[in-house]
Amino acid sequence: MAGYLTRRLGQIVFTILAMSVVIFGITQVLPGNVAYVIAGQFATPDQIAAIETRLGLNDPMWQQFLRWAGAALQGDLGTSMVMSRPVGPLVAEALGRSAQLAGVSFLLVALIGVVVGVVSGVRAGGWFDRVALVVTWLSVAMPQFFIAIVLVLLFSGHLGWLPATGYTPISGGVLNWLSHLILPVATLVVGLFAHVASLQRASMIETLGASYVRAARAKGLSERKVITRHALRNALIPTVTVLTLDLGILMGGIVVVETVFSYPGLGRLMITAVEQKDLPVLQASVLTVTVIYAFANLIADLCYLALDPRLRTGHAGVR
Amino acid sequence: MLASAELRARPRLPLPLVIGSSLLLAILMASLAAPFITAFDFDAMDVTARMKAPDAVHLLGTDEFGRDVLSRTLHGASTSIGLGVAATAFAFAIGVPLGLLGGYMRGRLDDAIMRTVDILVSIPPVMLGLLILASTSPGVWKAALAVGIIYIPILIRLSRSVALSLAQEEFILAARTRGEGLGWILFREILPNALPPLVVETSLRISFAILLGAVFSFLGLGTQPPSSDWGLMIAEARPYLEQAPWIALAPGVALCVTVISINLVGEGLRQFLDVRSQPGA
């Protein structure tokens, strides 16, 4: 177990290192120099040269990389070139807001997905299963930005119940905070729960047909016990995998949803940074997401091990 | 030979395949025949008819520049579907040879390929696309390329697993003994056996690629105006959502129907070719 953890942590360090080189390399070839963005369109060549020197844009690339990576390791992610603010707090603030959005959504996706999947798996072919199937197909086919727009049209435009955009911190009133969170969260949940539900359904049907479930029934256990104690535990294993995959999709979804709802989180920060060619902000936010994603994957694999004792013995080369 | 014999043995086509492919065919035909269906050019503006609700003249209404929404939606079909197909084709052309090569050769080459794949999948999909699209000026071909790169690892893993399981089969050994070259073994001996799962995966990839491409266009990183696709149309329609919801709804519904019909084709192919679904693949 300890060996497995060390190996995975080493893998994560390598991934993050490789990614930081990629992130730095790619952002170096961004079109349109940030100096032009700062100086505005009427800047003279002298002004632009001055800004380039101030920001160190003329140094060799490896020097710029070492400077950036060294500072990043010390927690200094640089200064936003456009907003003239330190990137660290900027990203942390946005990350906090995105985490509220992602956390609530992820919990709901897991909960609703598993419950819908289990119920339709246990009563496969019943009316609930059929309705769930249609909803699943629709949800997989609708891009999140379209779901968002339909929800806005319905609940904000037509019914006028919820605000269409913006964010209020929880200190500004729980109801107010919640009202700004409902539509973005609903968009993410509608777009993502279907994956989980359909997989949970399939694996539930499979485990219910397994011999150990028949054995559990034969020894006279109540149906509830058979389902919760014997079938569900095993049927959850593939779901954990798909939840990890969904985490990646969720992070992409957050970019879209934050753009549509003008929610000031990490995704919106990233898109703004792309538009304004604000390199430090883009580098820091993509790196942050990569680190989070790597550790989320590690946690998912550990859950996997906890659910399936067979994988714990010997080398844990699950993948 | 075998294929036609199997066809005769299983004459019934799965229902999803029939429904899906006819829907898809209808969409493609409508997109190609757009000039005959609508009397309006997709970018012809008409200031006197701005944001007109759907009526007998403009079947799906007009947008903020008085452009016909129906002809724009039909025009957008070719860009959106083309992007999805091109991205998938790119991922297939790079991913499948690499996967077959790695699975067949094993050893250090395989390790190198798989470590690269590990790094690629450790980046959330949209972030990878954002990085690629941020580093160049946006455009529809770059969006297709970004989507394609995101899907390469999936096709590498799938084709590698098939090659891995076939590498020790007798017909491969026989081909090697005959002195066949590497290319022949990979593409003439292994690939045909890998086709059923690859065909199913590819068809599903196309619908995911259309969706992801639409996301990039929606974020302003894909198709650029005055050209259009469904993602960009929806993005441009957002400010007018209250006054003229049909501008956003038409391309959105078109997108959904297209994706559903491709998914139906994929599901039908899965049943027809008897490929076991792979959770999480």
Side-chain angles (χ1 to χ4, degrees), chain B residues 92-193:
Chain B
F92 194 94
I94 306 278
V96 171
L98 281 178
L100 293 179
L101 196 63
Y104 175 68
M105 300 288 280
R106 315 275 274 277
R108 231 178 290 165
L109 179 71
D110 187 34
D111 281 347
I113 295 174
M114 293 319 285
R115 288 300 84 78
T116 317
V117 164
D118 283 346
I119 292 180
L120 269 179
V121 295
S122 68
I123 317 168
V126 172
M127 305 299 148
L128 187 59
L130 272 185
L131 272 182
I132 295 167
L133 294 171
S135 61
T136 53
S137 56
V140 62
W141 286 110
K142 284 167 193 157
L145 207 66
V147 176
I149 291 175
I150 291 170
Y151 290 152
I152 288 176
I154 296 165
L155 287 167
I156 288 186
R157 283 184 169 165
L158 189 60
S159 46
R160 176 179 179 268
S161 71
V162 178
L164 212 51
S165 65
L166 288 180
Q168 299 307 321
E169 292 282 329
E170 277 171 4
F171 68 94
I172 305 286
L173 294 178
R176 216 183 310 166
T177 323
R178 281 205 307 272
E180 302 287 6
L182 181 63
W184 177 280
I185 291 178
L186 289 187
F187 297 110
R188 288 302 186 79
E189 304 282 352
I190 299 182
L191 185 61
N193 287 287

Side-chain angles (χ1 to χ4, degrees), chain A residues 15 19 26 29-30 149 260 293, chain B residues 122-123 131 134-135 234 238 256:
Chain A
T15 304
M19 261 309 285
I26 278 185
V29 290
L30 268 176
I149 278 176
V260 176
Y293 192 52
Chain B
S122 68
I123 317 168
L131 272 182
S135 61
I234 295 173
R238 274 182 58 212
C256 293

Side-chain angles (χ1 to χ4, degrees), chain A residues 164-223:
Chain A
T165 56
Y167 164 81
T168 322
I170 201 163
S171 54
V174 176
L175 269 183
N176 210 348
W177 169 75
L178 208 60
S179 72
H180 282 96
L181 217 53
I182 289 176
L183 284 185
V185 166
T187 305
L188 288 169
V189 173
V190 170
L192 283 175
F193 90 96
H195 283 119
V196 184
S198 64
L199 192 73
Q200 183 67 59
R201 174 184 182 273
S203 72
M204 200 68 202
I205 291 175
E206 203 178 313
T207 34
L208 280 175
S211 48
Y212 58 82
V213 169
R214 217 173 331 136
R217 279 192 182 130
K219 73 181 179 190
L221 285 184
S222 68
E223 190 64 18

Side-chain angles (χ1 to χ4, degrees), chain A residues 31-292:
Chain A
N33 192 317
V34 69
Y36 289 90
V37 180
I38 295 176
Q41 64 184 121
F42 301 113
T44 64
D46 285 352
Q47 284 171 315
I48 285 177
I51 293 174
E52 276 176 347
T53 322
R54 178 160 62 84
L55 298 175
L57 294 177
N58 295 326
D59 296 345
M61 213 177 263
W62 63 270
Q63 267 185 20
Q64 292 191 40
F65 175 72
L66 284 185
R67 197 166 5 156
W68 173 71
L73 276 179
Q74 295 167 22
D76 174 16
L77 290 162
T79 309
S80 162
M81 290 179 166
V82 180
M83 287 173 269
S84 301
R85 277 185 61 193
V87 171
L90 203 67
V91 169
E93 204 178 293
L95 179 65
R97 298 195 194 111
S98 290
Q100 299 169 20
L101 191 59
V104 176
S105 306
F106 191 71
L107 282 180
L108 284 177
V109 165
L111 195 71
I112 297 177
V114 168
V115 169
V116 169
V118 167
V119 175
S120 33
V122 170
R123 303 233 183 286
W127 65 267
F128 184 87
D129 187 32
R130 286 179 201 191
V131 174
L133 194 71
V134 173
V135 175
T136 305
W137 272 79
L138 274 177
S139 137
V140 171
M142 288 225 280
Q144 282 173 336
F145 59 86
F146 188 59
I147 298 176
I149 278 176
V150 171
L151 288 178
V152 167
L153 262 178
L154 212 61
F155 292 102
S156 176
H158 189 64
L159 296 170
W161 289 351
L162 294 164
T165 56
Y167 164 81
T168 322
I170 201 163
S171 54
V174 176
L175 269 183
N176 210 348
W177 169 75
L178 208 60
S179 72
H180 282 96
L181 217 53
I182 289 176
L183 284 185
V185 166
T187 305
L188 288 169
V189 173
V190 170
L192 283 175
F193 90 96
H195 283 119
V196 184
S198 64
L199 192 73
Q200 183 67 59
R201 174 184 182 273
S203 72
M204 200 68 202
I205 291 175
E206 203 178 313
T207 34
L208 280 175
S211 48
Y212 58 82
V213 169
R214 217 173 331 136
R217 279 192 182 130
K219 73 181 179 190
L221 285 184
S222 68
E223 190 64 18
R224 168 184 290 270
K225 266 208 171 127
V226 169
I227 290 170
T228 52
R229 287 289 183 76
H230 291 259
L232 182 58
R233 190 184 162 113
N234 283 295
L236 272 177
I237 296 171
T239 311
V240 172
T241 324
V242 92
L243 275 174
T244 342
L245 284 172
D246 276 355
L247 208 61
I249 307 174
L250 179 69
M251 288 179 171
I254 278 188
V255 175
V256 172
V257 163
E258 288 183 353
T259 308
V260 176
F261 292 103
S262 305
Y263 187 95
L266 201 55
R268 183 130 172 274
L269 189 69
M270 234 178 260
I271 295 289
T272 323
V274 170
E275 280 166 0
Q276 298 176 332
K277 315 289 180 212
D278 198 345
L279 289 190
V281 174
L282 188 63
Q283 289 165 339
S285 40
V286 176
L287 199 59
T288 307
V289 171
T290 310
V291 173
I292 294 174

Side-chain angles (χ1 to χ4, degrees), chain B residues 175-245:
Chain B
R176 216 183 310 166
T177 323
R178 281 205 307 272
E180 302 287 6
L182 181 63
W184 177 280
I185 291 178
L186 289 187
F187 297 110
R188 288 302 186 79
E189 304 282 352
I190 299 182
L191 185 61
N193 287 287
L195 271 183
L198 278 176
V199 165
V200 172
E201 183 61 32
T202 305
S203 64
L204 293 176
R205 275 305 124 199
I206 292 178
S207 77
F208 289 132
I210 290 177
L211 284 176
L212 194 53
V215 167
F216 286 140
S217 288
F218 178 78
L219 293 173
L221 300 167
T223 310
Q224 298 295 310
S227 182
S228 198
D229 72 355
W230 292 332
L232 184 63
M233 277 182 78
I234 295 173
E236 288 176 336
R238 274 182 58 212
Y240 314 101
L241 222 46
E242 303 258 324
Q243 307 100 297

Side-chain angles (χ1 to χ4, degrees), chain B residues 43-68:
Chain B
D43 57 356
M45 300 186 194
D46 182 0
V47 277
T48 59
R50 294 175 57 208
M51 294 199 259
K52 278 255 168 70
D55 59 21
V57 185
H58 296 280
L59 291 178
L60 293 177
T62 63
D63 70 0
E64 70 276 19
F65 295 113
R67 296 175 297 195
D68 185 57

